[in-house]
Amino acid sequence: MTKLKPKSSSRKRRMLASFGKLIAFNIIEMRLAAPIFAQYCKSFHDYGDIVKQIMSKARELNRTKCMRTQLLSLEQLFEELRDQNEGRIDRSSEEWTNIKDLAHRFALMAGVDNYKSRQAVVTFHREGIIYCLLRNGPPDGSPPSNIVFFDILAETTFKLMDIDKKGPKGLLAFLEEQLMKEGEIPEDEIEWGPLRTYRTALVGSMSEPYMYYGSAGKRKLMGSPMRVMDVKEAARGLHY
C-alpha cells in the first residue's frame, strides 16, 4: 500500500479518531462502522492502530453488536468483490484470501475468554449461515448466490465451543434446519463445496458423515453409506 503524505495521513487519522468517539459515546449506530472495520488489514500501516482501538471499544460496549458489525463488513467486502467479477468469486485469488484473513483476525479479536464472547460468536455464525443461504426466490436446485461465504465463516469456527457446534441447539442443528428449505442437495456438485467446507470445520473431521435434509423431510448423509433418519430425531438435536 502506498504511504500517505504526513499531513494527509495526520488529518485522516484525526477524522477517523473522531468517528471512533461517535461510536464510543453511542452517538451513531455501531453498524455504520462496518466500512471502516473492512479496511483494517488494507490500511493497517496508516490506520490499523486506530481501527483496532475502535473495534476494541465497540466490543466493550456490546460484544454481539461488534461481531454483527464485523460480519456486515465481511459481507460488504464479499459483495464488492463479487460485483467486480461479474457475480463470480475466484476462491484462489489474493483478494479472496485477504477477506478470509480479515475474518480470522476478527475472530482473534473476540478475546481469549471464549465464555465472554460465546453468545457473540454464535450470533455471528447463525446470522452468517442465514446470509449464505439467502435467496431472492424459491430453491431451484442451484446453490444460493452467497454460498461461497461459507468459506469466510469456516475461518472463525475455532472460536466456537464444542457444545455450540454439535450440541442439541448447536450450529450443526441450526444449519440442517436451514437446509430443509433447500430440498435435495447434490452430493458431488462443486458449487456446494463451501457448504461442505464449513460443515467439516464444525464437525472437526472429514470422516464424520455430512448430513442434510432432503425434500421429503428426511435427513440424509453425504460421505458415508446412505441411510434415512426420522425428522423427530433431528429435532432433538445432533449427537456425535
Side-chain angles (χ1 to χ4, degrees), residues 6 64 109 143 174 176 186 196 209 217 232:
T64 299
M109 290 179 185
F174 180 75
E176 289 197 23
R196 290 189 286 271
K232 292 183 179 179

Side-chain angles (χ1 to χ4, degrees), residues 91 121-130 132-133 147-158 160 164-165 170-176 179 192-206 210:
R91 297 170 71 194
V121 175
V122 170
T123 299
F124 178 95
H125 279 267
R126 288 174 70 92
E127 296 186 1
I129 288 171
I130 293 173
C132 289
L133 299 175
I147 192 74
V148 186
F149 198 80
F150 272 119
D151 280 352
I152 301 298
L153 294 184
E155 290 292 323
T156 65
T157 53
F158 70 94
L160 289 164
D164 293 326
K165 292 179 182 179
L171 288 164
L172 278 170
F174 180 75
L175 176 62
E176 289 197 23
L179 288 175
W192 289 92
L195 169 60
R196 290 189 286 271
T197 297
Y198 178 66
R199 201 274 174 181
T200 299
L202 291 178
V203 172
S205 172
M206 284 294 291
Y210 174 15

Side-chain angles (χ1 to χ4, degrees), residues 72-87:
L72 177 59
S73 71
L74 293 168
E75 292 171 355
Q76 290 174 348
L77 287 173
F78 164 70
E79 292 174 8
E80 180 182 344
L81 181 61
R82 185 178 59 189
D83 291 344
Q84 290 173 354
N85 291 276
E86 299 180 349

Side-chain angles (χ1 to χ4, degrees), residues 94-212:
E94 181 180 357
E95 292 84 359
W96 186 238
T97 300
N98 290 340
I99 297 177
K100 292 198 296 181
D101 180 61
L102 179 61
H104 189 85
R105 288 172 182 262
F106 282 167
L108 290 173
M109 290 179 185
V112 296
D113 191 336
N114 288 347
Y115 284 96
K116 287 184 178 180
S117 60
R118 180 182 180 185
Q119 185 57 51
V121 175
V122 170
T123 299
F124 178 95
H125 279 267
R126 288 174 70 92
E127 296 186 1
I129 288 171
I130 293 173
Y131 176 76
C132 289
L133 299 175
L134 191 65
R135 287 185 181 275
N136 292 325
D140 57 4
S142 63
S145 60
N146 297 339
I147 192 74
V148 186
F149 198 80
F150 272 119
D151 280 352
I152 301 298
L153 294 184
E155 290 292 323
T156 65
T157 53
F158 70 94
K159 291 300 295 183
L160 289 164
M161 301 178 69
D162 283 345
I163 187 65
D164 293 326
K165 292 179 182 179
K166 297 178 280 187
K169 296 182 179 180
L171 288 164
L172 278 170
F174 180 75
L175 176 62
E176 289 197 23
E177 178 185 337
Q178 297 303 308
L179 288 175
M180 284 187 67
K181 306 170 186 177
E182 288 295 324
E184 297 288 345
I185 298 177
E187 295 187 41
D188 55 355
E189 288 288 342
I190 191 172
E191 289 84 359
W192 289 92
L195 169 60
R196 290 189 286 271
T197 297
Y198 178 66
R199 201 274 174 181
T200 299
L202 291 178
V203 172
S205 172
M206 284 294 291
S207 62
E208 296 189 52
Y210 174 15
M211 300 182 179
Y212 72 96

Side-chain angles (χ1 to χ4, degrees), residues 62-73:
N62 190 306
R63 290 176 182 270
T64 299
K65 282 187 177 181
C66 179
M67 291 210 71
R68 276 178 167 155
T69 303
Q70 290 173 332
L71 176 63
L72 177 59
S73 71

